[in-house]
Amino acid sequence: MSVARYAVFGHPIAHSQSPRIQAAFAKAQGIEIDYRAIDATPQDFAAALDAFAADGGVGANVTLPHKEAAFALCATTTSRAQRAGAVNTLLRKGERWHGDNTDGIGLVRDLTGRNGLDLRGRRVLLLGAGGAARGVAPALLDAGILELVVANRTPERADALVDAMSEPGRVISAYWDALREQGDFELIINATSAGRGDGAVFSLPLSLVNSLTTAVDLNYGEAAIPFLAWARAAGCRNEFDGLGMLVEQAAESFQQWHGVRPETDAVYAALRERAATLVTAD
């Protein structure tokens, strides 16, 4: 009997913790899987996904920069994927892919469950308008935030995300270079890849921060360091990276593939310990 094949697609992808997470979930549930990381450029993504399916692939996660492309390749999608216009979870149904987006619920579960935040009534600044931002925006609105301000270095992308949310007045776009005019926020989310690369520095107006501000980077590991360094310097009350969100969205994907939602606390704790060990070793 062959082992079911799963994968995570991205570019780059060597840093991904998804294989480690899914393997831990499967072991805890007594399920045998073959889950691997597949690096595919944007030009090669569709062909790589076809090859994976032809080789027996039945489910996949999708990360930067393929989430919007994955949405376009699906024959069917969930309502939350449709709202986002982006997909991070694929399930093979017959000869076609079914797509979902678990990023948003993963973020909300991490912030409200693991970290005890109440998102209701908060002004939120969302930095970025790509697949990651599109994935979390609907769930933030459903969690009861007061207002969502979307800022992107390409204004047209921010406007497109705002239009897709269909909540005029509650979701608005802002020019990146004019952020200091937007007042302060209780939650600032970095959904850009601006922190990637050696020597990267993240700079935002300090006026965005108030005494309650929580800063969240959807990246984790080294990619999250510049934004979180800015958040600490700006005096944010809390700073979180995207590791907790990663584990929670992975659990949602696992549930769709295997019909059971795994416990996440032990896997999250193990990843945190491993990350701390790696930093100490450096």
Side-chain angles (χ1 to χ4, degrees), residues 43 47 157:
Q43 295 78 14
R157 296 270 284 170

Side-chain angles (χ1 to χ4, degrees), residues 9 38 40 44-54 60 62 70 73 90 92 97:
F9 287 83
I38 298 177
D44 295 336
F45 173 60
L49 189 59
D50 284 343
F52 173 68
V62 182
L73 294 172
L90 294 169
R92 195 71 172 169
W97 289 110

Side-chain angles (χ1 to χ4, degrees), residues 41-273:
T41 66
Q43 295 78 14
D44 295 336
F45 173 60
L49 189 59
D50 284 343
F52 173 68
D55 198 31
V58 295
N61 291 124
V62 182
T63 188
L64 289 172
H66 302 314
K67 294 180 181 183
E68 291 168 275
F71 177 83
L73 294 172
C74 289
T76 57
T77 52
T78 62
S79 59
R80 59 189 179 189
Q82 291 166 21
R83 288 177 71 191
V87 157
N88 80 324
T89 301
L90 294 169
L91 174 64
R92 195 71 172 169
K93 291 189 174 183
E95 297 300 312
R96 298 182 175 183
W97 289 110
H98 173 72
D100 191 14
N101 197 306
T102 66
D103 280 338
I105 188 62
L107 175 63
V108 170
R109 280 182 180 273
D110 181 54
L111 293 180
T112 61
R114 179 169 291 110
N115 293 297
L117 294 184
D118 186 349
L119 299 180
R120 293 173 296 180
R122 291 187 175 230
R123 286 194 82 218
V124 180
L125 174 62
L126 180 60
L127 303 171
R134 284 177 165 272
V136 301
L140 290 168
L141 295 170
D142 292 346
I145 66 170
L146 176 67
E147 182 182 45
L148 183 66
V149 178
V150 182
N152 192 65
R153 294 194 183 279
T154 305
E156 293 79 9
R157 296 270 284 170
D159 292 340
L161 190 159
V162 170
D163 291 343
M165 294 302 102
S166 300
E167 294 205 32
R170 188 179 177 207
V171 185
I172 63 175
S173 59
Y175 287 108
W176 190 284
D177 293 336
L179 280 176
R180 65 180 67 255
E181 301 172 9
Q182 293 299 320
D184 52 10
F185 297 85
E186 286 76 47
L187 181 62
I188 302 175
I189 299 174
N190 178 35
T192 75
S193 57
R196 297 181 183 273
D198 293 338
V201 176
F202 211 103
S203 179
L204 292 169
L206 298 180
S207 58
L208 299 174
V209 175
N210 63 36
S211 61
L212 298 176
T213 303
T214 292
V216 179
D217 198 318
L218 301 190
N219 299 294
Y220 60 91
E222 291 185 2
I225 291 174
F227 176 73
L228 297 183
W230 170 83
R232 284 189 292 273
C236 289
R237 174 174 286 193
N238 305 297
E239 309 95 39
F240 305 125
D241 68 6
L243 190 62
M245 168 187 163
L246 178 72
V247 173
E248 295 301 326
Q249 64 82 22
E252 294 288 327
S253 298
F254 189 94
Q255 182 176 26
Q256 292 193 33
W257 297 331
H258 307 291
V260 59
R261 193 180 195 281
E263 293 294 325
T264 58
D265 287 347
V267 175
Y268 174 75
L271 289 175
R272 275 284 173 232
E273 183 177 357

